[in-house]
Amino acid sequence: MSKKTNGLPAHVAIIMDGNGRWAKRRALPRYFGHREGVKALKTVVRYAAERGIPTLTVYAFSTENWRRPREEVEFLLDLMFKTFVQEIEELRQEGVRVRLVGDRTSLSDQIKAVWVKAEELTAHNTRLTLNVAFNYGGRSELTRAVRELASRVARGELTVEEITEDAISQELYTWPSPDPDLIIRTGGEQRLSNFLLWQAAYSELYVTDVLWPDFGEKEFEQALQDYMGRERRFGQVSAKEQNG
Ligand code: IPE
Ligand code: IPE
Ligand code: MG
């Protein structure tokens, strides 16, 4: 599965935040920001593919975003739906494999059908895997995984000792994507907001004040360069120190 990336992250995950503020600064309603955010997403997907990044995960709608005003929630659901209907053919041609990571049980039949079709249509693409975290929450993802493993134990299909870190990873929505090497958050907030809680164990974090609709190739490349200049230690002694 793993591809040679020459120091580039093999998996980049993005918390696409700041659409509302982008609109507010222009005295526009929030949905203008969401619409503009779709353009940024298209740019970033294309750039990730060009740059040879094998996996990109984008946080599009959290399990907590249902708490927003009904009109905004409806707008966001509709925007995602329309965007994927509109873009799927181009994504397919560009070699992008699309996957929905999140709880699909509570989505409407219409939205579910669009996802299934998008996933089927792009299932054989290998250039870039685009995981769209939609109705995604790290805690709900882990709760689902725990329930699944527990019911397998109850049925006698699994022993308690077989509940390993790998077994848990394999029950997450993101499986079989590797853990993200780099998590980018736009909009300046220094928090995960329930994104990839398990998978982020050793991810490098990059927060920029740039609002999501203003995030483009230049900003993406800057994040990649920043990542490539870091030393990842995974709990070990620094390589520099070890070599004297
Ligand atoms: C991110 O932008 C988009 C979603 C959460 C769907 P926001 O809508 O959170 O924008 P801000 O954070 O209010 O600026
Ligand atoms: C995180 O942004 C969720 C997405 C980008 C989809 P939020 O705007 O919902 O996060 P909080 O509320 O600032 O933590
Ligand atoms: Mg926000």
Side-chain angles (χ1 to χ4, degrees):
M1 272 297 288
S2 79
K3 289 189 194 171
K4 191 108 186 62
T5 50
N6 290 320
L8 276 173
H11 181 181
V12 178
I14 307 183
I15 302 172
M16 309 185 289
D17 196 22
N19 294 349
R21 279 163 283 168
W22 184 93
K24 197 174 174 205
R25 280 183 197 172
R26 287 161 181 77
L28 295 167
R30 292 176 61 84
Y31 69 85
F32 273 83
H34 295 316
R35 226 184 247 153
E36 206 62 25
V38 172
K39 293 185 193 165
L41 176 57
K42 285 199 236 175
T43 305
V44 162
V45 169
R46 196 177 313 117
Y47 194 67
E50 271 172 31
R51 213 56 183 77
I53 293 165
T55 306
L56 178 68
T57 300
V58 293
Y59 203 7
F61 192 87
S62 75
T63 47
E64 287 71 35
N65 288 146
W66 294 104
R67 296 177 188 155
R68 294 188 178 198
R70 196 171 57 92
E71 301 77 55
E72 182 168 351
V73 168
E74 278 172 9
F75 183 85
L76 286 167
L77 295 177
D78 191 57
L79 182 67
M80 265 297 140
F81 171 76
K82 285 189 179 138
T83 300
F84 277 91
V85 168
Q86 218 165 61
E87 301 297 324
I88 193 63
E89 186 48 32
E90 196 178 323
L91 289 166
R92 189 187 68 79
Q93 285 174 20
E94 285 177 4
V96 179
R97 177 178 190 172
V98 180
R99 291 176 67 225
L100 175 66
V101 301
D103 176 14
R104 37 185 105 196
T105 55
S106 51
L107 298 175
S108 74
D109 288 345
Q110 197 189 25
I111 292 183
K112 264 186 263 187
V114 167
W115 282 116
V116 170
K117 197 170 159 235
E119 288 178 338
E120 280 174 3
L121 208 63
T122 62
H124 301 293
N125 281 344
T126 54
R127 189 165 170 232
L128 169 72
T129 296
L130 173 63
N131 293 322
V132 181
F134 196 83
N135 196 19
Y136 174 89
R139 287 190 169 185
S140 96
E141 178 185 46
L142 279 164
T143 305
R144 204 203 65 87
V146 169
R147 282 189 186 153
E148 177 57 33
L149 292 170
S151 53
R152 268 198 255 153
V153 171
R155 290 197 298 266
E157 297 166 10
L158 195 75
T159 66
V160 169
E161 290 68 33
E162 283 168 334
I163 302 178
T164 57
E165 293 189 7
D166 281 344
I168 293 169
S169 294
Q170 285 174 28
E171 287 305 326
L172 304 180
Y173 295 127
T174 47
W175 179 259
S177 293
D179 290 342
D181 299 298
L182 171 64
I183 297 179
I184 298 172
R185 181 164 188 149
T186 61
E189 310 292 356
Q190 306 196 28
R191 55 178 173 254
L192 286 174
S193 301
N194 207 10
F195 190 44
L196 305 178
L197 296 182
W198 173 275
Q199 300 90 327
Y202 271 100
S203 304
E204 293 295 324
L205 307 178
Y206 180 89
V207 175
T208 170
D209 287 333
V210 172
L211 303 174
W212 177 246
D214 292 326
F215 192 84
E217 292 188 0
K218 185 170 75 69
E219 288 75 18
F220 196 3
E221 186 56 43
Q222 210 171 320
L224 295 175
Q225 292 302 326
D226 192 281
Y227 168 85
M228 288 191 282
R230 297 187 191 185
E231 186 195 6
R232 300 181 76 187
R233 286 199 284 277
F234 300 100
Q236 298 169 356
V237 172
S238 156
K240 281 178 215 129
E241 223 175 294
Q242 244 169 7
N243 301 333

